Amino acid sequence: MDIIVQVKDRDIPRVIDPSGCLGRGLCALLKAKKNFIREIPMKSFKYGELDRHHLDIYYPLTSSSAKTPILFFVYGGGFDTGERSISPKTFGLVYACLAAFFARRGYIIVIPDYRLVPNVEFPGPAEDVRDAVRWVVNNAHELVSSGSPVPNLDHIVLMGHSAGAVHVSTMLFCPNVLPADDPLRPKIVAAILESPPFDLSAMTMEWPSAPTHAKYWGTLESAKANDPLHLYRRLPNEAVERLPKVLMVEGEFEPDFLIDAGDVFRKEVKERTGVQPKKIIAKGHNHISLNWALSTGEGEEWAERTVEWLKELKD
């Protein structure tokens, strides 16, 4: 991961091109693995009525009749950008690279698109994620074809990165999005939260990202009241007890405000439950590189540890 270590800046907009596609960035490594990544079977489906309501499903290379767990990945993009396949900059290999990595380790991977600012406000994208999960559960027969594994609809993992992790958290922590008695809840066994802005208490309108946050939540005050930390704080104890297991993942070179927010959230969970969520540090990675590196053969240690954590849930 020498490419990433050479990127000294931690500011998210400033690490995207150096990490990805300038010089010999990760895009060059991905391009070299294009056939390896594209070997994983993929199908696309429409899960709702809007243009952004599409999802891709990636299947393990197996003909096993055993039921296969499902992992939903919700990408980030600062609330106003993002797509399930970033083209042409990454040759269409992000986020197929992530899907290929986890599919080769026994998971059916679902990557949905969702609505973006300025065409949506809180909690619209979390509702989109919920609807994508519900669509998969209700249409499992459409997902299976000859030779593809059978999805285990009672073993669903939600994984989100950055803004995507906010949407996963909102879905789980906001009863208006997913009521306590919703039949989806017991099917979700784990949530993997990759460096979201858990706590926006310190944000002011001078922050570069503040205007977008204010547009998404309506106002900056609403953003602070409805970020993942404060949604979690408002949950009653019985709702907290029914939440799925949480794994926190953090790049070694994240912006300080994301590291601090993660520490606050982790402490909050420990105080309420007596159990501190496990946290994996993606060594050598910044905010962008940890997911883009998957299937390159470099910088994958954090994801291997994540797979081991998921295996422990099934044991």
Coordinates of all heavy atoms in Angstrom, one line a residue, residues 74-146:
V74 N -23.7 -0.3 1.1 CA -24.3 1.1 0.8 C -23.1 2.0 0.8 O -22.5 2.3 1.8 CB -25.3 1.5 1.9 CG1 -25.9 2.8 1.5 CG2 -26.4 0.4 2.1
Y75 N -22.8 2.5 -0.4 CA -21.6 3.3 -0.6 C -21.9 4.7 -0.1 O -23.0 5.2 0.2 CB -21.3 3.4 -2.1 CG -22.5 3.8 -3.0 CD1 -22.9 5.2 -3.0 CD2 -23.2 2.9 -3.7 CE1 -24.0 5.5 -3.8 CE2 -24.3 3.3 -4.5 CZ -24.7 4.6 -4.5 OH -25.7 5.0 -5.3
G76 N -20.8 5.5 0.0 CA -20.9 6.9 0.4 C -20.7 7.8 -0.8 O -20.9 7.4 -1.9
G77 N -20.5 9.1 -0.5 CA -20.4 10.1 -1.5 C -20.8 11.5 -1.0 O -21.1 12.4 -1.8
G78 N -20.8 11.7 0.3 CA -21.1 13.0 0.8 C -22.5 13.4 0.7 O -22.8 14.6 0.7
F79 N -23.4 12.5 0.5 CA -24.9 12.7 0.4 C -25.3 13.3 -0.9 O -26.5 13.2 -1.2 CB -25.4 13.7 1.6 CG -25.1 13.1 2.9 CD1 -24.0 13.6 3.6 CD2 -25.9 12.2 3.5 CE1 -23.7 13.1 4.9 CE2 -25.6 11.7 4.8 CZ -24.5 12.2 5.5
D80 N -24.4 13.8 -1.7 CA -24.8 14.3 -3.0 C -24.2 13.7 -4.2 O -24.4 14.1 -5.3 CB -24.6 15.9 -3.0 CG -23.2 16.3 -2.8 OD1 -22.3 15.4 -2.5 OD2 -22.9 17.5 -2.9
T81 N -23.3 12.7 -4.0 CA -22.7 12.0 -5.1 C -22.7 10.5 -4.7 O -22.9 10.1 -3.6 CB -21.3 12.4 -5.4 OG1 -20.4 12.1 -4.3 CG2 -21.2 13.9 -5.6
G82 N -22.4 9.7 -5.7 CA -22.2 8.2 -5.5 C -23.1 7.4 -6.5 O -24.1 7.8 -6.9
E83 N -22.5 6.3 -6.8 CA -23.3 5.3 -7.6 C -22.7 3.9 -7.4 O -21.5 3.8 -7.0 CB -23.2 5.7 -9.1 CG -21.8 5.9 -9.7 CD -21.8 6.5 -11.0 OE1 -22.7 6.2 -11.8 OE2 -20.9 7.4 -11.3
R84 N -23.4 2.9 -7.8 CA -23.0 1.6 -7.5 C -21.9 1.1 -8.4 O -21.2 0.1 -8.0 CB -24.2 0.6 -7.5 CG -24.9 0.5 -8.9 CD -26.2 -0.2 -8.8 NE -26.8 -0.7 -10.0 CZ -27.4 0.1 -10.9 NH1 -27.6 1.4 -10.6 NH2 -27.8 -0.4 -12.0
S85 N -21.7 1.8 -9.5 CA -20.6 1.5 -10.4 C -20.0 2.8 -10.9 O -20.7 3.5 -11.6 CB -21.0 0.6 -11.6 OG -19.9 0.4 -12.5
I86 N -18.8 3.1 -10.4 CA -18.2 4.4 -10.7 C -17.5 4.3 -12.1 O -16.4 3.6 -12.2 CB -17.2 4.9 -9.6 CG1 -17.9 5.0 -8.3 CG2 -16.5 6.2 -10.0 CD1 -17.0 5.3 -7.1
S87 N -18.0 4.9 -13.1 CA -17.4 4.9 -14.4 C -17.4 6.3 -15.0 O -18.2 7.1 -14.7 CB -18.3 4.0 -15.3 OG -18.2 2.6 -14.9
P88 N -16.5 6.6 -15.9 CA -15.4 5.7 -16.4 C -14.1 5.7 -15.6 O -13.2 5.0 -15.8 CB -15.1 6.2 -17.8 CG -15.4 7.7 -17.7 CD -16.5 7.9 -16.7
K89 N -14.1 6.6 -14.6 CA -12.8 6.8 -13.8 C -12.2 5.6 -13.3 O -11.0 5.4 -13.4 CB -13.1 7.8 -12.7 CG -11.8 8.1 -11.8 CD -12.1 9.2 -10.8 CE -12.1 10.6 -11.4 NZ -12.1 11.6 -10.4
T90 N -13.0 4.6 -12.8 CA -12.5 3.4 -12.2 C -12.7 2.2 -13.1 O -12.7 1.1 -12.6 CB -13.0 3.1 -10.8 OG1 -14.4 2.8 -11.0 CG2 -12.9 4.3 -9.9
F91 N -13.0 2.4 -14.4 CA -13.3 1.4 -15.4 C -14.5 0.5 -15.0 O -14.6 -0.7 -15.3 CB -12.0 0.5 -15.5 CG -10.7 1.2 -15.7 CD1 -9.8 1.4 -14.6 CD2 -10.4 1.8 -16.9 CE1 -8.7 2.1 -14.8 CE2 -9.2 2.6 -17.1 CZ -8.4 2.7 -16.0
G92 N -15.3 1.1 -14.2 CA -16.5 0.3 -13.7 C -16.2 -0.7 -12.7 O -17.0 -1.6 -12.4
L93 N -15.0 -0.7 -12.1 CA -14.6 -1.7 -11.1 C -14.8 -1.4 -9.7 O -14.6 -2.2 -8.8 CB -13.1 -2.1 -11.4 CG -12.8 -2.6 -12.8 CD1 -11.3 -2.8 -13.0 CD2 -13.6 -3.9 -13.1
V94 N -15.2 -0.1 -9.4 CA -15.6 0.3 -8.0 C -17.1 0.5 -8.1 O -17.6 1.3 -8.9 CB -14.9 1.6 -7.6 CG1 -15.4 2.1 -6.3 CG2 -13.4 1.4 -7.5
Y95 N -17.9 -0.3 -7.4 CA -17.6 -1.1 -6.3 C -17.7 -2.6 -6.6 O -17.9 -3.4 -5.7 CB -18.6 -0.8 -5.2 CG -18.4 0.6 -4.6 CD1 -19.1 1.7 -5.1 CD2 -17.4 0.9 -3.7 CE1 -18.9 3.0 -4.7 CE2 -17.2 2.1 -3.2 CZ -17.9 3.2 -3.7 OH -17.6 4.5 -3.3
A96 N -17.6 -3.0 -7.9 CA -17.5 -4.4 -8.2 C -16.3 -5.1 -7.5 O -16.4 -6.3 -7.1 CB -17.4 -4.6 -9.7
C97 N -15.3 -4.3 -7.2 CA -14.1 -4.9 -6.5 C -14.5 -5.4 -5.1 O -14.0 -6.5 -4.7 CB -13.0 -3.9 -6.5 SG -13.3 -2.3 -5.7
L98 N -15.2 -4.6 -4.4 CA -15.7 -4.9 -3.1 C -16.6 -6.1 -3.2 O -16.5 -7.1 -2.4 CB -16.4 -3.8 -2.4 CG -16.9 -4.0 -1.0 CD1 -16.8 -2.7 -0.2 CD2 -18.4 -4.4 -1.1
A99 N -17.5 -6.1 -4.1 CA -18.5 -7.2 -4.2 C -17.7 -8.5 -4.5 O -18.1 -9.6 -4.0 CB -19.5 -6.9 -5.3
A100 N -16.7 -8.5 -5.4 CA -16.0 -9.7 -5.8 C -15.2 -10.2 -4.6 O -15.2 -11.4 -4.4 CB -15.0 -9.3 -6.9
F101 N -14.7 -9.3 -3.8 CA -13.9 -9.8 -2.6 C -14.8 -10.6 -1.7 O -14.5 -11.7 -1.3 CB -13.4 -8.6 -1.8 CG -12.6 -8.9 -0.6 CD1 -11.3 -9.2 -0.6 CD2 -13.3 -9.1 0.6 CE1 -10.6 -9.6 0.5 CE2 -12.6 -9.4 1.8 CZ -11.2 -9.7 1.7
F102 N -16.0 -10.0 -1.3 CA -16.9 -10.7 -0.4 C -17.6 -11.9 -1.0 O -17.9 -12.9 -0.3 CB -17.8 -9.7 0.3 CG -17.2 -8.8 1.3 CD1 -16.8 -7.5 1.0 CD2 -16.9 -9.3 2.6 CE1 -16.2 -6.7 1.9 CE2 -16.3 -8.4 3.5 CZ -15.9 -7.1 3.1
A103 N -17.9 -11.8 -2.3 CA -18.5 -12.9 -3.0 C -17.6 -14.1 -3.0 O -18.1 -15.3 -2.8 CB -18.9 -12.6 -4.4
R104 N -16.3 -13.9 -3.1 CA -15.4 -15.0 -3.1 C -15.2 -15.6 -1.7 O -14.6 -16.7 -1.5 CB -14.0 -14.5 -3.6 CG -14.0 -14.3 -5.1 CD -12.6 -13.8 -5.6 NE -12.7 -13.5 -7.0 CZ -12.6 -14.4 -8.0 NH1 -12.5 -15.7 -7.8 NH2 -12.7 -14.0 -9.3
R105 N -15.8 -15.0 -0.7 CA -15.7 -15.5 0.6 C -17.1 -15.9 1.1 O -17.3 -16.0 2.3 CB -15.1 -14.4 1.6 CG -13.6 -14.3 1.3 CD -13.0 -13.0 1.6 NE -11.6 -12.9 1.3 CZ -11.1 -12.8 0.0 NH1 -11.9 -12.7 -1.0 NH2 -9.7 -12.8 -0.2
G106 N -18.0 -16.2 0.2 CA -19.2 -16.9 0.5 C -20.5 -16.0 0.7 O -21.4 -16.5 1.3
Y107 N -20.5 -14.8 0.2 CA -21.6 -13.9 0.4 C -22.3 -13.5 -0.9 O -21.6 -13.3 -1.9 CB -21.2 -12.6 1.2 CG -21.0 -12.9 2.6 CD1 -19.7 -13.3 3.0 CD2 -21.9 -12.7 3.6 CE1 -19.4 -13.6 4.4 CE2 -21.7 -12.9 4.9 CZ -20.5 -13.4 5.3 OH -20.2 -13.7 6.6
I108 N -23.6 -13.4 -0.9 CA -24.3 -12.8 -2.0 C -24.3 -11.3 -1.7 O -24.6 -10.9 -0.6 CB -25.8 -13.2 -2.1 CG1 -25.8 -14.7 -2.5 CG2 -26.6 -12.4 -3.0 CD1 -27.2 -15.3 -2.5
I109 N -23.8 -10.5 -2.6 CA -23.6 -9.0 -2.4 C -24.6 -8.2 -3.1 O -24.9 -8.5 -4.3 CB -22.2 -8.6 -2.8 CG1 -21.1 -9.5 -2.3 CG2 -22.0 -7.1 -2.4 CD1 -21.1 -9.6 -0.8
V110 N -25.3 -7.3 -2.4 CA -26.3 -6.4 -3.0 C -25.8 -5.0 -2.9 O -25.5 -4.6 -1.7 CB -27.7 -6.6 -2.4 CG1 -28.7 -5.7 -3.1 CG2 -28.1 -8.1 -2.4
I111 N -25.7 -4.3 -4.0 CA -25.3 -2.9 -3.9 C -26.4 -2.0 -4.5 O -26.6 -2.0 -5.8 CB -24.0 -2.6 -4.7 CG1 -22.9 -3.5 -4.1 CG2 -23.6 -1.1 -4.5 CD1 -21.5 -3.3 -4.8
P112 N -27.2 -1.3 -3.7 CA -28.3 -0.5 -4.3 C -27.8 1.0 -4.5 O -27.0 1.5 -3.8 CB -29.3 -0.5 -3.2 CG -28.5 -0.6 -1.9 CD -27.2 -1.4 -2.3
D113 N -28.4 1.6 -5.5 CA -28.3 3.1 -5.6 C -29.4 3.6 -4.7 O -30.4 2.9 -4.4 CB -28.5 3.5 -7.0 CG -27.3 3.5 -7.9 OD1 -26.2 3.5 -7.3 OD2 -27.4 3.4 -9.1
Y114 N -29.3 4.9 -4.4 CA -30.3 5.6 -3.6 C -30.3 7.0 -4.0 O -29.5 7.5 -4.7 CB -30.0 5.4 -2.1 CG -28.6 5.8 -1.7 CD1 -28.4 7.2 -1.3 CD2 -27.6 4.9 -1.5 CE1 -27.1 7.6 -1.0 CE2 -26.3 5.3 -1.2 CZ -26.1 6.7 -0.9 OH -24.8 7.1 -0.5
R115 N -31.4 7.8 -3.5 CA -31.5 9.2 -3.9 C -30.5 10.0 -3.2 O -30.0 9.8 -2.2 CB -32.9 9.7 -3.5 CG -34.0 9.1 -4.4 CD -35.4 9.4 -3.8 NE -35.7 8.7 -2.6 CZ -36.7 8.9 -1.8 NH1 -37.5 9.9 -2.0 NH2 -36.8 8.2 -0.7
L116 N -30.1 11.1 -4.0 CA -29.1 12.0 -3.5 C -29.6 13.5 -3.4 O -30.5 13.8 -4.1 CB -27.9 12.0 -4.5 CG -27.2 10.6 -4.8 CD1 -26.3 10.7 -6.0 CD2 -26.5 10.1 -3.6
V117 N -28.9 14.2 -2.6 CA -29.1 15.7 -2.5 C -28.8 16.3 -3.9 O -27.7 15.9 -4.5 CB -28.3 16.3 -1.4 CG1 -28.3 17.8 -1.5 CG2 -28.7 15.8 0.0
P118 N -29.5 17.2 -4.5 CA -30.6 17.9 -3.9 C -32.0 17.3 -4.1 O -33.0 18.0 -3.8 CB -30.5 19.3 -4.6 CG -30.1 18.9 -6.0 CD -29.2 17.7 -5.8
N119 N -32.1 16.1 -4.5 CA -33.4 15.5 -4.8 C -34.0 14.7 -3.7 O -35.0 14.0 -3.9 CB -33.2 14.6 -6.1 CG -32.8 15.4 -7.3 OD1 -33.3 16.5 -7.6 ND2 -31.7 14.9 -8.0
V120 N -33.4 14.8 -2.5 CA -34.0 14.1 -1.4 C -33.5 14.8 -0.1 O -32.6 15.5 -0.1 CB -33.4 12.6 -1.4 CG1 -31.9 12.6 -1.1 CG2 -34.2 11.7 -0.5
E121 N -34.3 14.6 0.9 CA -34.0 15.0 2.3 C -34.1 13.9 3.3 O -34.6 12.8 2.9 CB -34.9 16.1 2.7 CG -34.8 17.4 2.0 CD -35.6 18.6 2.6 OE1 -36.4 18.3 3.5 OE2 -35.5 19.7 2.1
F122 N -33.5 14.0 4.4 CA -33.5 13.0 5.5 C -35.0 12.7 5.8 O -35.9 13.6 5.8 CB -32.9 13.7 6.8 CG -33.1 12.8 8.0 CD1 -32.1 11.9 8.3 CD2 -34.1 13.0 8.9 CE1 -32.3 11.1 9.5 CE2 -34.3 12.3 10.0 CZ -33.3 11.3 10.3
P123 N -35.3 11.4 6.0 CA -34.4 10.2 5.9 C -34.6 9.4 4.6 O -34.5 8.2 4.6 CB -34.9 9.4 7.1 CG -36.4 9.6 7.0 CD -36.6 11.0 6.5
G124 N -34.8 10.1 3.5 CA -35.1 9.4 2.2 C -34.2 8.3 1.8 O -34.6 7.2 1.4
P125 N -32.8 8.6 1.8 CA -31.9 7.5 1.4 C -32.0 6.2 2.3 O -31.9 5.1 1.8 CB -30.6 8.1 1.5 CG -30.8 9.6 1.3 CD -32.1 9.8 2.0
A126 N -32.2 6.5 3.6 CA -32.4 5.3 4.5 C -33.6 4.5 4.2 O -33.7 3.3 4.2 CB -32.4 5.8 5.9
E127 N -34.7 5.2 3.7 CA -35.9 4.6 3.3 C -35.6 3.8 2.0 O -36.2 2.7 1.8 CB -37.0 5.6 3.1 CG -37.5 6.2 4.4 CD -38.4 7.4 4.1 OE1 -38.4 8.0 3.0 OE2 -39.1 7.8 5.1
D128 N -34.8 4.3 1.1 CA -34.4 3.6 -0.1 C -33.7 2.3 0.3 O -33.9 1.2 -0.3 CB -33.5 4.5 -1.0 CG -34.3 5.7 -1.6 OD1 -35.5 5.6 -1.5 OD2 -33.6 6.6 -2.1
V129 N -32.7 2.4 1.2 CA -32.0 1.2 1.6 C -32.9 0.2 2.2 O -32.9 -1.0 1.9 CB -30.9 1.6 2.6 CG1 -30.2 0.3 3.2 CG2 -29.8 2.5 2.0
R130 N -33.8 0.6 3.1 CA -34.9 -0.3 3.6 C -35.7 -0.9 2.5 O -35.9 -2.2 2.5 CB -35.8 0.5 4.5 CG -37.0 -0.3 5.1 CD -38.1 0.7 5.4 NE -38.6 1.4 4.3 CZ -39.3 2.5 4.4 NH1 -39.6 3.1 5.5 NH2 -39.7 3.1 3.2
D131 N -36.1 -0.2 1.5 CA -36.9 -0.7 0.5 C -36.1 -1.7 -0.4 O -36.7 -2.7 -0.9 CB -37.5 0.4 -0.4 CG -38.5 1.3 0.3 OD1 -38.9 0.9 1.4 OD2 -38.8 2.4 -0.2
A132 N -34.8 -1.5 -0.6 CA -34.0 -2.4 -1.3 C -33.9 -3.7 -0.6 O -34.0 -4.8 -1.2 CB -32.6 -1.8 -1.6
V133 N -33.7 -3.7 0.7 CA -33.6 -4.9 1.5 C -35.0 -5.6 1.4 O -35.0 -6.8 1.2 CB -33.3 -4.6 3.0 CG1 -33.3 -5.8 3.8 CG2 -31.9 -3.9 3.1
R134 N -36.1 -4.9 1.6 CA -37.4 -5.5 1.6 C -37.6 -6.2 0.2 O -38.2 -7.2 0.1 CB -38.5 -4.5 1.9 CG -39.7 -5.2 2.4 CD -40.9 -4.2 2.7 NE -40.5 -3.2 3.6 CZ -40.5 -3.3 4.9 NH1 -40.8 -4.5 5.4 NH2 -40.2 -2.3 5.7
W135 N -37.2 -5.5 -0.9 CA -37.4 -6.0 -2.2 C -36.7 -7.3 -2.4 O -37.2 -8.3 -3.0 CB -36.9 -5.0 -3.3 CG -37.3 -5.4 -4.7 CD1 -38.4 -5.2 -5.4 CD2 -36.5 -6.3 -5.5 NE1 -38.3 -5.8 -6.6 CE2 -37.2 -6.5 -6.7 CE3 -35.2 -6.9 -5.3 CZ2 -36.6 -7.3 -7.8 CZ3 -34.7 -7.7 -6.4 CH2 -35.4 -7.8 -7.6
V136 N -35.5 -7.4 -1.9 CA -34.7 -8.6 -2.0 C -35.4 -9.8 -1.2 O -35.5 -10.9 -1.7 CB -33.3 -8.4 -1.5 CG1 -32.5 -9.8 -1.3 CG2 -32.5 -7.6 -2.5
V137 N -35.8 -9.5 0.0 CA -36.5 -10.5 0.8 C -37.8 -11.0 0.1 O -38.1 -12.2 0.1 CB -36.8 -9.9 2.2 CG1 -37.7 -10.8 2.9 CG2 -35.5 -9.7 2.9
N138 N -38.6 -10.0 -0.5 CA -39.8 -10.4 -1.1 C -39.7 -11.0 -2.5 O -40.7 -11.5 -3.0 CB -40.8 -9.2 -1.1 CG -41.2 -8.7 0.2 OD1 -41.1 -9.5 1.2 ND2 -41.6 -7.5 0.3
N139 N -38.6 -10.9 -3.1 CA -38.4 -11.3 -4.5 C -37.2 -12.3 -4.6 O -36.6 -12.4 -5.7 CB -38.2 -10.1 -5.4 CG -39.4 -9.2 -5.5 OD1 -40.3 -9.5 -6.3 ND2 -39.4 -8.2 -4.7
A140 N -37.0 -13.0 -3.6 CA -35.8 -14.0 -3.6 C -35.9 -14.9 -4.8 O -34.9 -15.3 -5.3 CB -35.8 -14.7 -2.3
H141 N -37.1 -15.3 -5.2 CA -37.3 -16.3 -6.3 C -36.7 -15.7 -7.6 O -36.3 -16.5 -8.4 CB -38.8 -16.6 -6.4 CG -39.6 -15.5 -6.8 ND1 -40.0 -14.6 -5.8 CD2 -40.2 -15.0 -7.9 CE1 -40.8 -13.6 -6.3 NE2 -40.9 -13.9 -7.6
E142 N -36.7 -14.4 -7.7 CA -36.2 -13.8 -9.0 C -34.7 -13.7 -9.0 O -34.1 -13.6 -10.0 CB -36.8 -12.4 -9.1 CG -38.3 -12.3 -9.4 CD -38.7 -10.9 -9.8 OE1 -37.8 -10.2 -10.4 OE2 -39.8 -10.5 -9.6
L143 N -34.1 -13.9 -7.8 CA -32.7 -13.7 -7.7 C -31.9 -15.0 -8.0 O -30.7 -15.0 -8.3 CB -32.3 -13.3 -6.3 CG -33.1 -12.1 -5.7 CD1 -32.5 -11.8 -4.3 CD2 -33.1 -10.9 -6.6
V144 N -32.6 -16.1 -7.9 CA -32.0 -17.4 -8.1 C -32.1 -17.9 -9.5 O -33.2 -17.9 -10.1 CB -32.6 -18.4 -7.1 CG1 -31.9 -19.8 -7.2 CG2 -32.4 -17.9 -5.7
S145 N -31.1 -18.4 -10.1 CA -31.1 -19.0 -11.4 C -30.3 -20.3 -11.3 O -29.7 -20.6 -10.3 CB -30.6 -18.1 -12.5 OG -29.3 -17.7 -12.2
S146 N -30.3 -21.1 -12.4 CA -29.6 -22.3 -12.4 C -28.1 -22.1 -12.1 O -27.4 -21.3 -12.7 CB -29.7 -23.0 -13.8 OG -29.0 -24.2 -13.8

